[in-house]
Amino acid sequence: MAIDKIFKDEATEEKGERARMASFIGAMAIADLVKTTLGPKGMDKILQSTGRGHSVTVTNDGATILKSLHIDNPAAKVLVDISKVQDDEVGDGTTSVVVLAGELLREAEKLVNSKIHPMTIISGFRMASECARNVLEQKVVDNKQDAEKFRSDLMNIARTTLSSKILSQDKEHFAKLAVDAVMRLKGSTNLEAIQIIKKPGGSLKDSFLDEGFILDKKIGVGQPKRIENAKILVANTAMDTDKVKIYGARVRVDSMTKVADLEAAEKGKMREKVQKIISHGINCFVNRQLIYNFPEELFADAGILAIEHADFDGIERLGLVTGGEIASTFDNPESVKLGHCKLIEEIMIGEDKLIHFSGVEMGQACTIVLRGASPHVLDEAERSLHDALCVLSQTVNDSRVLLGGGWPEMVMAKAVDELAKKTPGKRSHAIEAFTRALLAIPTTIADNAGLDSAELIAQLRAEHHKEESNAGIDVISGSVGDMAELGISESFKVKQAVLLSATEAAEMILRVDEIITCAPRRREGM
């Protein structure tokens, strides 16, 4: 029996060299795709979906671009996953991690072609990444003790993160918004308390930070427009049981008066429910579901502000922020936890009316209202701001800070290069390759800005051979600049995550020597 009949028809396998080629090419193609978005002068991509409505996204966030690709190549999927993890874990550096992994594989391919075994390469990469991480740890700056300096560090990090995004023109304004919002969190990395509301109209500069919570809803008809010292019941319950709504229910009556009786009974039921809710001693009722006319009327009579159909995300956050819990039964008022805030009022933003809760229980809660020319601009602004908020909240926790602009890569490259010189055997080739891959990030930053990367990197290397150099690429002037003076900083946590994830992903793809693709499933009766 021939060995090639182990697999079903149409299943394919690729072995050794060919499998490795397929992995390398897939991974490099993905890296090249997002490479042009890296750095302050990186370009954006338009992603158009094939679904209904052909929705368009304009973005330069690595994770967002890769998430929306339909990819067939298994190695490319590995890179997409690392960028996703980077996004979930630290929120920024999604492009860098893919570019670094792609470069490591590009270097590894050359080594494999010159007959160095993948395991040797992996072991060299491991040593190199360990060495790179250690040297970064020695070079970090930690200003946690000095509030003034720490705040300026945070501002620098926010500016650096935003400078490669759509918000780069107003980065001062947004860096301040982001830092203020994160400082309110007092060390928590739970970004739930920071709500972002997008309202088309105005320009990005009109965005502002508001303490408290804003709910994107209008206040109902005939209800108080302003409530002080509000006691809020946040609920998820059906307030429309004054209709017989059971599907297919048929009610037979033998006279018109019976219909009136039925309606009265239903109204009575609803009135009871509303009485139960009012008995909680509240003056604001927020419901996840609709509130029909009759109960709304009852609430208005009792002077209670009723807000219906608050979106799910909004209502969960409202509960969290006001210190209440979402209730769905109202039989025992003592066990329901009410939310509190000092003032509820209606405000106007652009064309829309919204409800503003100020003086909430959770002091760190705030809302960032983004204004902008179109929904696309707002979506991208939200993604950019979200990256900045993630990085800042991580930095408040782990306050170690590095310089940016290709400086960390140069520092790592120098240390790894020295390690290569000391290491005997074939592993030193792999370690040297790691140096070259690290240099790819400053090279790409320079290339994207239209600068002469070869010249700049050579200058950078020379600068870094002096002790304690702060040299990096100053994209704006197009030369080598002092990163400390320019205030270009990055979070250590982000850099470390980039380094470790990229090395592990490259290692995983290097280990592959066979790709087996299953046969597609056939429909019955084909």
Side-chain angles (χ1 to χ4, degrees):
M1 176 182 150
I3 193 77
D4 52 328
K5 282 311 287 173
I6 293 179
F7 296 118
K8 270 188 161 175
D9 292 347
E10 288 187 46
T12 55
E13 65 169 331
E14 289 171 1
K15 279 202 166 108
E17 229 17 61
R18 286 199 49 183
R20 210 165 277 133
M21 269 310 281
S23 322
F24 287 151
I25 288 171
M28 286 185 240
I30 287 287
D32 289 343
L33 175 75
V34 291
K35 212 183 214 177
T36 51
T37 68
L38 191 69
K41 295 270 165 110
M43 305 304 269
D44 292 8
K45 311 268 181 222
I46 289 186
L47 310 167
Q48 187 170 12
S49 79
T50 49
R52 280 175 51 216
H54 291 285
S55 62
V56 171
T57 313
V58 183
T59 181
N60 77 354
D61 179 45
T64 310
I65 296 170
L66 296 179
K67 238 187 284 185
S68 12
L69 298 178
H70 293 284
I71 300 174
D72 213 14
N73 184 301
K77 283 194 178 132
V78 173
L79 291 201
V80 173
D81 288 345
I82 57 169
S83 87
K84 254 191 211 143
V85 169
Q86 180 80 10
D87 197 30
D88 297 343
E89 192 64 25
V90 284
D92 196 22
T94 47
T95 308
S96 315
V97 71
V98 175
V99 171
L100 183 55
E103 287 303 324
L104 284 171
L105 288 167
R106 183 161 294 162
E107 293 296 335
E109 184 188 22
K110 294 175 194 159
L111 297 176
V112 170
N113 289 342
S114 57
K115 299 285 177 280
I116 294 178
H117 192 275
M119 284 304 158
T120 315
I121 301 174
I122 287 171
S123 134
F125 279 3
R126 273 281 163 98
M127 287 168 66
S129 78
E130 196 54 40
C131 161
R133 185 169 162 262
N134 292 340
V135 70
L136 276 191
E137 278 195 328
Q138 291 156 20
K139 301 264 183 177
V140 290
V141 182
D142 193 339
N143 289 329
K144 185 125 200 188
Q145 307 317 317
D146 183 342
E148 199 65 4
K149 268 190 174 161
F150 187 48
R151 189 181 165 87
S152 81
D153 273 351
L154 286 180
M155 282 296 289
N156 284 342
I157 287 180
R159 278 191 215 109
T160 308
T161 300
L162 294 171
S163 61
S164 61
K165 311 264 193 270
I166 190 171
L167 302 175
S168 58
Q169 303 309 316
D170 311 310
K171 65 182 172 201
E172 268 310 307
H173 181 62
F174 282 101
K176 195 168 171 336
L177 281 189
V179 172
D180 286 347
V182 170
M183 288 306 254
R184 295 181 71 109
L185 288 178
K186 304 197 180 38
S188 132
T189 47
N190 180 10
L191 294 178
E192 286 276 293
I194 302 177
Q195 187 198 19
I196 300 181
I197 284 188
K198 299 177 288 194
K199 284 281 162 221
S203 71
L204 284 169
K205 271 203 181 61
D206 303 334
S207 307
F208 60 92
L209 177 83
D210 201 322
E211 66 95 25
F213 185 85
I214 297 179
L215 192 64
D216 198 350
K217 280 282 152 209
K218 292 189 179 70
I219 288 180
V221 181
Q223 299 189 351
K225 294 276 184 250
R226 177 190 168 97
I227 288 184
E228 288 181 17
N229 291 331
K231 294 193 183 70
I232 309 161
L233 176 62
V234 186
N236 184 3
T237 180
M239 295 303 284
D240 47 6
T241 43
D242 55 334
K243 308 263 183 294
V244 173
K245 278 202 321 186
I246 302 163
Y247 182 65
R250 296 171 70 178
V251 183
R252 284 213 173 142
V253 286
D254 42 20
S255 71
M256 278 314 284
T257 49
K258 291 279 171 60
V259 176
D261 290 349
L262 261 172
E263 281 185 353
E266 283 170 357
K267 275 194 162 173
K269 243 171 89 178
M270 195 70 240
R271 189 176 271 116
E272 263 173 53
K273 186 167 186 176
V274 173
Q275 274 326 122
K276 273 185 191 167
I277 291 173
I278 295 174
S279 68
H280 288 66
I282 55 170
N283 50 12
C284 172
F285 175 68
V286 184
N287 192 16
R288 165 80 184 78
Q289 300 177 31
L290 291 171
I291 301 176
Y292 275 64
N293 309 9
F294 179 60
E296 190 164 57
E297 197 181 303
L298 295 177
F299 283 127
D301 289 347
I304 290 179
L305 165 63
I307 303 167
E308 64 170 9
H309 217 235
D311 58 335
F312 205 71
D313 202 24
I315 192 171
E316 296 226 319
R317 208 174 261 154
L318 181 64
L320 175 86
V321 166
T322 54
E325 281 173 3
I326 299 178
S328 50
T329 54
F330 311 102
D331 289 332
N332 35 358
E334 58 283 350
S335 66
V336 173
K337 206 168 159 202
L338 297 180
H340 296 277
C341 78
K342 294 206 175 81
L343 176 67
I344 300 180
E345 58 186 339
E346 195 169 55
I347 54 170
M348 289 283 290
I349 297 179
E351 298 284 285
D352 298 345
K353 289 181 178 168
L354 301 109
I355 306 170
H356 183 225
F357 297 78
S358 51
V360 290
E361 287 266 307
M362 193 173 176
Q364 54 258 56
C366 58
T367 299
I368 296 176
V369 180
L370 289 179
R371 308 300 311 276
S374 76
H376 298 138
V377 173
L378 285 175
D379 288 345
E380 177 60 359
E382 181 186 24
R383 276 190 289 271
S384 312
L385 196 60
H386 179 260
D387 279 7
L389 291 173
C390 286
V391 175
L392 290 173
S393 66
Q394 295 285 351
T395 313
V396 171
N397 256 4
D398 179 347
S399 55
R400 292 175 289 179
V401 176
L402 295 162
L403 297 174
W407 177 85
E409 283 77 18
M410 296 308 294
V411 170
M412 293 191 279
K414 182 182 170 190
V416 173
D417 207 26
E418 279 162 15
L419 173 71
K421 288 176 186 144
K422 289 183 227 151
T423 311
K426 285 184 174 176
R427 274 189 304 194
S428 65
H429 294 299
I431 299 174
E432 258 173 40
F434 199 95
T435 313
R436 289 195 293 275
L438 282 170
L439 293 181
I441 287 190
T443 309
T444 309
I445 292 176
D447 282 341
N448 287 347
L451 306 172
D452 179 354
S453 56
E455 172 69 19
L456 273 176
I457 300 300
Q459 283 180 21
L460 266 184
R461 285 189 95 148
E463 281 294 321
H464 274 270
H465 258 283
K466 302 171 191 160
E467 284 305 303
E468 297 304 314
S469 160
N470 289 340
I473 297 178
D474 177 3
V475 186
I476 310 304
S477 72
S479 59
V480 171
D482 184 325
M483 295 291 118
E485 278 172 26
L486 292 167
I488 298 178
S489 306
E490 296 188 46
S491 160
F492 169 73
K493 202 160 178 190
V494 174
K495 271 285 165 252
Q496 174 181 295
V498 166
L499 179 69
L500 302 181
S501 306
T503 313
E504 286 183 5
E507 180 181 319
M508 185 170 168
I509 294 171
L510 258 175
R511 284 173 179 272
V512 173
D513 75 334
E514 189 161 347
I515 298 173
I516 298 171
T517 317
C518 288
R521 273 176 51 196
R522 289 297 177 94
R523 289 224 181 104
E524 292 302 314
M526 289 272 280

